[in-house]
Amino acid sequence: MKKILSLLIAMMFIAGGISAQETEHFKFKGIPIDGTLAEFGKNLVAEGFVKVGNNAYKGKFLRNEALVALVGDDNNMIWRVAAVMPSTDTWSILESSFDGYVSLYSEKYGKPSKLSKSFANYTGDNSGLKMYAVNDGECNYFAIWTLPQGTIEVRIVKGSKYNEGTIRIVYTDNANKDEVRKSDLSEI
C-alpha cells in the first residue's frame, strides 16, 4: 500500500511539473511571438508602431525605422516576425550594419550556429559590384542562431530600390512553427 501511495505521489509531482511548464516563445521587442496576428499587432501598436498594411507595421527597432511583417497560419496564429531595416546603396554601410547586428545578437545569444560572408559568383573588392551582387541575389551574408525557442536570422537582402540592399532580421518561433507543421502534415 505504501508503494502504491508513493508511486501515486511521485506521478502527481511529475504530472504537475510537466503541466506547470509553459512553452517558451521567442520575444520580439519584449512581446512573445504567440497568439493571433491581431493580438501581436495590437502589442506592436502599444509599443509605438503604426499599422501600414495587412500584418505590416512600421516603427523603431534597434534604433531604426523598420518595416515589420507578421506571418501566421490559416488560423492567424503568429509563428514568424520579420523586420526589414532601411535600404542603402552603399556597401560599406550595409556590411557595417550587418556586422553590428551580428555582434549585438552574438552578445545576447552566443556565437551563431551558421555564419556566411561571401558572394556566389563574385570575387573582388569593388563596392559597386558587391551592390550589384546583392541585387542579383548572389550575396550570401547571413547569420543564424538556432535556439530552443526557435531561430533568428540576420541577412543582407535586396533593398526597396534598384542597386540597394537592406538587412532583414527574422524570428521564427519553434512552438508555433511546430503547430503549423503538424497541421500541414495532417493535410498530406
Side-chain angles (χ1 to χ4, degrees), residues 67-118:
L67 176 64
V68 175
L70 312 181
V71 179
D73 68 359
D74 292 340
N75 296 316
N76 290 317
M77 177 183 64
I78 190 166
W79 62 280
R80 180 174 282 164
V81 177
V84 179
M85 305 315 244
S87 294
T88 181
D89 63 357
T90 306
W91 173 254
S92 60
I93 293 172
L94 192 58
E95 184 180 35
S96 175
S97 294
F98 175 83
D99 289 340
Y101 292 132
V102 169
S103 175
L104 187 66
Y105 279 87
S106 293
E107 187 175 321
K108 183 166 184 175
Y109 297 109
K111 183 179 174 184
S113 52
K114 293 181 186 174
L115 176 64
S116 174
K117 292 177 75 173
S118 66

Side-chain angles (χ1 to χ4, degrees), residues 172-184:
T172 302
D173 181 73
N174 271 352
N176 290 348
K177 181 186 85 173
D178 289 346
E179 290 300 315
V180 171
R181 182 82 172 155
K182 285 178 192 174
S183 175
D184 290 347

Side-chain angles (χ1 to χ4, degrees), residues 102-181:
V102 169
S103 175
L104 187 66
Y105 279 87
S106 293
E107 187 175 321
K108 183 166 184 175
Y109 297 109
K111 183 179 174 184
S113 52
K114 293 181 186 174
L115 176 64
S116 174
K117 292 177 75 173
S118 66
F119 293 90
N121 293 312
Y122 173 78
T123 56
D125 201 23
N126 182 304
S127 293
L129 293 178
K130 288 179 179 180
M131 290 306 296
Y132 284 120
V134 170
N135 267 273
D136 291 342
E138 296 181 355
C139 177
N140 295 318
Y141 271 61
F142 64 86
I144 298 172
W145 289 263
T146 304
L147 303 161
Q149 336 56 322
T151 59
I152 297 173
E153 178 184 39
V154 176
R155 180 179 291 268
I156 292 179
V157 295
K158 183 178 179 180
S160 57
K161 295 179 184 172
Y162 181 74
N163 208 32
E164 286 188 344
T166 188
I167 307 290
R168 182 180 64 203
I169 302 171
V170 179
Y171 291 68
T172 302
D173 181 73
N174 271 352
N176 290 348
K177 181 186 85 173
D178 289 346
E179 290 300 315
V180 171
R181 182 82 172 155

